[in-house]
Amino acid sequence: MCWSLIRHDAAHVLAEAVQELWPGTQVTIGPVIENGFYYDFKRDEPFSEEDFPVIEKKMAEIIDRGAAFTKEVWSRDEAKAFFATRGENFKVELVDAIPADQSLKMYKQGQWIDLCRGPHMRTVKDVGNAFKLTKVAGAYWRGDSRNPVLSRIYGTAFANKAELDAYLTMVAEAEKRDHRKIGQEMDLYHFQPEAQGSVFWHHKGYVIFNQMETYIRRRLNKSGYVEVKTPQLMSSKFWEQSGHWGKYRENMFVVPDEVPNVEDTGPVLTGEGDLMALKPMNCPAHVQIFNQGIKSYRDLPLRMAEFGCCHRNEAHGALHGLMRVRQMTQDDAHIFCREDQIQAETEHFVHLLYSVYGHMGFDDVVIKLATRPDKFGGTVERWDAAEKALGDALRATGYDFEIAEGEGAFYAPKLEFHLKDAIGRSWQVGTLQLDYVLPERLDATYVAEDGSRQYAVMLHRAILGSLERFIGMMIENYAGKMPIWLAPTQVVVATIVSEADAYGEKLVRQLQDAGVRAELDARNEKINYKVREHSVGRVPLMFVVGRREADEGTVSVRRLGVEGQKVLPADVAIESLVLEGTPPDLKQIAAE
Ligand SMILES: [Zn+2]
Ligand SMILES: [Zn+2]
C-alpha cells in the first residue's frame, strides 16, 4: 500500500482525534511530507509531546471504529457556512482561496468532515496500526510571521510495524550521528548568528576540508583538468548578461559599489552606486576565461575547475548546519567541448566520479538520467541527441541507471548521482548538467575544422557538490569516525607517567616528520580519562607509552572502538600508520 495514502488518511484521523479530545481546537491544514505528515491546529495552549500517548490512543480508537471515507462535492457557500458555524475560521479562509470555478470536495469519516482534494483509502481501518506521532513545533498560519502561531503535530505512518520500526531506528541512529552534535564534540566548526549559514571552520575541521580539497585537486590534475580562480564580486551587468540577474537574483547577495558614509549621521549608503553581486555560481566567470583568445576545435575539450566560494541567499529558516549553508565551496568544473565529445566526456566524468566515491567509502550509487520535461527549450532533435549521448555514455561505463522521466532542466538533460549512506539514507551529491544556452548567451565559440565559428557545449559537473555539505554527510556516514587519511588528528601519543614524556615527545616528532598528524597528551591525568576524551574526539589511534615502552622503544597501540591494545616496536607502529593514513589515490598509485 502506498505510504502517502496511509499518511494522508492518518492526518485526517489525527485531526479528528484532536478535536474529539479538545473540542474548540481549530483545524487548518495537514499535508503529507517526506517521511510522514503533519497537521496544524489552533489552540490557546500549544500541544506538547506529553499529549502524544492520549492522542495516539484516541487515533487507534477512531481507526477501530472503522468509518468509511466518503466524498461529497459541495458549493463554496455551503462549505463556508458549514465551517463558519463551527468557528473554523482558518477553513473559511481556505475556502475563500479556492478559485470560484472549482468545485469543493469534502471528505467524511463518520461524523468528522474536512475540506480535502483527496484521494483517500476506503476506510480509516486502512491506516492500520503502524503510525506514530513524532514531534510538535510552532508554525505560523500560511508561514507568515504576521499571522497567528499554530501548533503543528508531526507524525508518520507505514504499512506495517516492521517498516515503522525500521524507520524509527533509522531516525534514532541519524540523531546520534547528527553532524551538528558530532562537529561540536570533535571541535570541527561552529556557526553564530552574526554569520548565518557561513561556517567558522576550526583547525580540526579545516584539516578535513583541506584534505578533501587536496585529494580532489590531485584527482582533477591527473584527469586533465586545469584549475582557475575567478572573482567573488562582479557587476550586476555581468549577471544580466549571464541571465542570472533575471532568473536567479532572489538567491543572490547584492552589494552596492560605493564608498560608505563614515560619518555618524546620515545613511551608510546613498543607494546611487552601481550594483554588484557575490557570485552564486562560477559558470559565467569560467566562460570569460574560455573567451580569452581564439579557441580552436583542437583546444577542446577544455576542462576548467574551481574550488569556487559561492554565496546563495537562503532563508534563515532553511539553513541546516553544514547541509544547507549560505557560503559554500563547490568542487565545480565546466567542460567546454564539441557536441560530438559529449558522450566521451560524460563517460570520462562518470569513471572519475565512481572512483572518488569509492575512495570516500561509498559503493552504493544510484544514477538518474533526467529527461525532457513537458515545458522545454530548444528542439526535440537536440534533446533526443543529448539524451542519447548521455545514455550511451552511461551504458559504456557499465553502471546501471534509472530514467527520471521529465525531470531534466528546462534547456537540457542532466545526470544526478545519489549516494546511499551507512544508515540507508540517500543523498544527491554529484551532477552533470548539459548546457547549450550559456555558451550562446555569452558567445563562447571555437573555430571548427572547416573554419566556421561554432558554439561550444558546456557540461556543468560536480562530484562532491559542496565541500561543506559533503563533509557533513561524511561525518554522519562515519558517525565522526573518519577514515584515517581524513582524520584531523590521526594519532595521540599519551603518556602514563611523566618519566615517559621525553620519549612521547620524541615519538610525536618522528610521527610528524613522517607526515602523520600527531599530538602529544602528557597531561597529568589518568590514562582512562585520556582514552575517553580522545574517543569523544574520534581520534582513530592512540599510542600509549609508559616507563616500560620508553625503555624498550615500543608503543601500546589502541584503536578507536576496539577493545584492548597491542604492543609494537615504535618504528613498526609508525610505518604502518603512515601507510594506513595515506590517501587512497596515492595508495593505489604506490600499489601499481
Ligand atoms: Zn484528505
Ligand atoms: Zn556551472
Side-chain angles (χ1 to χ4, degrees):
M1 210 164 288
C2 168
W3 288 344
S4 66
L5 273 180
I6 297 174
R7 289 167 187 171
H8 182 154
D9 288 9
H12 280 236
V13 172
L14 165 63
E16 180 180 356
V18 165
Q19 288 200 313
E20 207 171 301
L21 288 164
W22 294 280
T25 304
Q26 290 186 60
V27 286
T28 65
I29 55 161
V32 170
I33 52 171
E34 199 188 347
N35 296 322
F37 60 89
Y38 69 76
Y39 213 112
D40 283 349
F41 300 97
K42 176 74 182 126
R43 184 176 168 238
D44 291 339
E45 194 191 334
F47 292 103
S48 81
E49 296 196 5
E50 276 150 35
D51 299 319
F52 287 180
V54 51
I55 302 175
E56 284 171 343
K57 192 164 159 259
K58 181 59 79 183
M59 286 173 74
E61 232 176 271
I62 291 168
I63 291 166
D64 268 348
R65 289 194 293 232
F69 284 107
T70 51
K71 182 175 87 177
E72 293 175 10
V73 177
W74 288 20
S75 75
R76 285 159 53 95
D77 291 344
E78 266 178 298
K80 248 178 104 164
F82 172 79
F83 286 125
T85 53
R86 294 178 162 232
E88 298 279 13
N89 304 325
F90 298 97
K91 286 286 178 192
V92 172
E93 239 186 86
L94 288 175
V95 172
D96 276 333
I98 295 172
D101 56 343
Q102 267 178 38
S103 59
L104 285 182
K105 280 185 241 163
M106 302 287 279
Y107 274 86
K108 228 181 206 171
Q109 65 210 48
Q111 291 311 304
W112 198 78
I113 189 159
D114 198 2
L115 173 72
C116 171
R117 264 189 230 106
H120 277 277
M121 298 186 291
R122 286 158 307 165
T123 77
V124 291
K125 263 215 153 58
D126 292 334
V127 172
N129 62 358
F131 65 88
K132 189 162 177 45
L133 302 181
T134 51
K135 61 175 175 179
V136 286
Y140 292 110
W141 169 236
R142 306 209 136 152
D144 189 331
S145 59
R146 287 163 301 185
N147 288 342
V149 183
L150 306 172
S151 190
R152 175 172 297 176
I153 299 181
Y154 288 92
T156 191
F158 286 86
N160 55 56
K161 281 272 193 202
E163 282 178 3
L164 174 66
D165 288 346
Y167 172 75
L168 294 175
T169 308
M170 193 271 279
V171 170
E173 191 53 39
E175 231 159 77
K176 272 190 252 161
R177 289 164 180 255
D178 191 322
H179 71 284
R180 294 168 299 179
K181 179 175 137 257
I182 294 178
Q184 206 162 28
E185 288 170 358
M186 292 177 73
D187 187 22
L188 300 180
Y189 64 89
H190 81 272
F191 288 93
Q192 62 189 56
E194 294 81 0
Q196 292 272 354
S198 299
V199 189
F200 287 81
W201 285 108
H202 300 188
H203 174 65
K204 286 190 169 140
Y206 202 50
V207 169
I208 301 177
F209 189 103
N210 269 332
Q211 286 298 317
M212 204 89 100
E213 185 177 294
T214 308
Y215 164 86
I216 292 287
R217 180 172 288 125
R218 269 197 313 269
R219 301 303 313 271
L220 294 180
N221 281 340
K222 287 210 92 184
S223 304
Y225 285 77
V226 293
E227 189 178 343
V228 299
K229 194 82 179 164
T230 59
Q232 209 62 48
L233 205 49
M234 284 175 275
S235 157
S236 61
K237 301 205 175 56
F238 176 80
W239 300 110
E240 271 164 35
Q241 244 185 348
S242 70
H244 291 86
W245 198 250
K247 287 223 177 70
Y248 203 75
R249 192 167 67 229
E250 60 179 333
N251 300 308
M252 292 164 73
F253 286 100
V254 175
V255 182
D257 186 6
E258 67 167 289
V259 179
N261 171 24
V262 294
E263 303 301 328
D264 290 337
T265 54
V268 176
L269 297 165
T270 64
E272 280 158 21
D274 286 337
L275 294 180
M276 306 186 79
L278 287 172
K279 67 175 168 187
M281 48 186 78
N282 305 306
C283 341
H286 288 186
V287 179
Q288 309 309 310
I289 295 180
F290 179 86
N291 283 352
Q292 300 296 308
I294 295 164
K295 295 288 178 299
S296 126
Y297 67 95
R298 279 187 238 97
D299 297 322
L300 305 183
L302 177 57
R303 307 181 185 124
M304 197 185 288
E306 177 171 0
F307 292 97
C309 175
C310 296
H311 285 83
R312 296 192 185 163
N313 201 343
E314 304 271 1
H316 289 188
L319 301 172
H320 181 82
L322 296 174
M323 301 305 187
R324 192 104 180 243
V325 289
R326 294 174 122 188
Q327 178 188 311
M328 72 200 81
T329 312
Q330 299 179 307
D331 67 323
D332 192 22
H334 295 95
I335 301 170
F336 296 87
C337 65
R338 307 189 306 258
E339 201 146 7
D340 65 327
Q341 292 172 323
I342 295 172
Q343 189 179 327
E345 283 308 302
T346 302
E347 212 181 308
H348 178 262
F349 171 67
V350 174
H351 282 301
L352 174 62
L353 170 134
Y354 261 81
S355 158
V356 170
Y357 290 165
H359 285 164
M360 297 290 169
F362 299 97
D363 297 318
D364 196 341
V365 185
V366 173
I367 310 179
K368 293 184 185 170
L369 166 55
T371 60
R372 195 176 70 225
D374 292 337
K375 264 196 176 166
F376 63 94
T379 64
V380 173
E381 292 72 47
R382 198 171 222 187
W383 269 94
D384 288 347
E387 284 173 12
K388 183 171 183 302
L390 295 186
D392 285 347
L394 291 176
R395 275 181 283 275
T397 62
Y399 297 119
D400 290 335
F401 63 99
E402 298 169 9
I403 303 281
E405 201 72 58
E407 287 179 23
F410 182 66
Y411 285 107
K414 65 175 176 186
L415 300 180
E416 288 176 1
F417 302 88
H418 300 253
L419 295 183
K420 194 161 264 178
D421 75 5
I423 56 172
R425 292 176 301 176
S426 177
W427 301 81
Q428 197 211 314
V429 178
T431 51
L432 179 143
Q433 168 72 60
L434 197 59
D435 185 0
Y436 303 105
V437 176
L438 199 62
E440 293 186 12
R441 276 195 88 107
L442 299 178
D443 210 26
T445 61
Y446 64 92
V447 180
E449 211 166 352
D450 63 3
S452 67
R453 280 265 180 177
Q454 301 288 338
Y455 287 115
V457 178
M458 265 174 104
L459 302 177
H460 308 249
R461 43 51 92 232
I463 298 176
L464 306 184
S466 96
L467 265 82
E468 287 79 3
R469 179 167 173 267
F470 197 86
I471 291 171
M473 196 193 93
M474 289 283 278
I475 293 171
E476 297 200 355
N477 182 64
Y478 288 106
K481 295 170 193 151
M482 295 299 228
I484 292 189
W485 69 280
L486 285 170
T489 304
Q490 295 173 309
V491 63
V492 166
V493 177
T495 54
I496 304 176
V497 287
S498 57
E499 286 93 324
D501 287 359
Y503 178 59
E505 269 168 44
K506 189 180 118 204
L507 283 175
V508 167
R509 233 174 298 121
Q510 276 179 332
L511 282 158
Q512 287 173 343
D513 286 347
V516 175
R517 294 186 291 276
E519 272 174 32
L520 179 68
D521 186 350
R523 290 174 302 168
N524 186 17
E525 297 285 357
K526 288 257 184 322
I527 190 65
N528 283 343
Y529 175 85
K530 293 184 182 181
V531 168
R532 215 174 314 119
E533 191 175 284
H534 296 301
S535 65
V536 170
R538 273 80 166 176
V539 177
L541 287 166
M542 281 181 79
F543 288 177
V544 178
V545 293
R547 225 173 273 134
R548 182 166 168 186
E549 283 82 1
D551 287 345
E552 295 174 353
T554 58
V555 295
S556 294
V557 181
R558 277 177 164 270
R559 208 167 260 278
L560 181 61
V562 178
E563 284 290 318
Q565 53 187 28
K566 197 166 149 191
V567 180
L568 288 176
D571 51 345
V572 173
I574 292 173
E575 203 181 324
S576 86
L577 176 49
V578 167
L579 192 68
E580 220 181 328
T582 303
D585 56 322
L586 298 179
K587 223 182 259 180
Q588 211 169 327
I589 292 166
E592 272 163 11

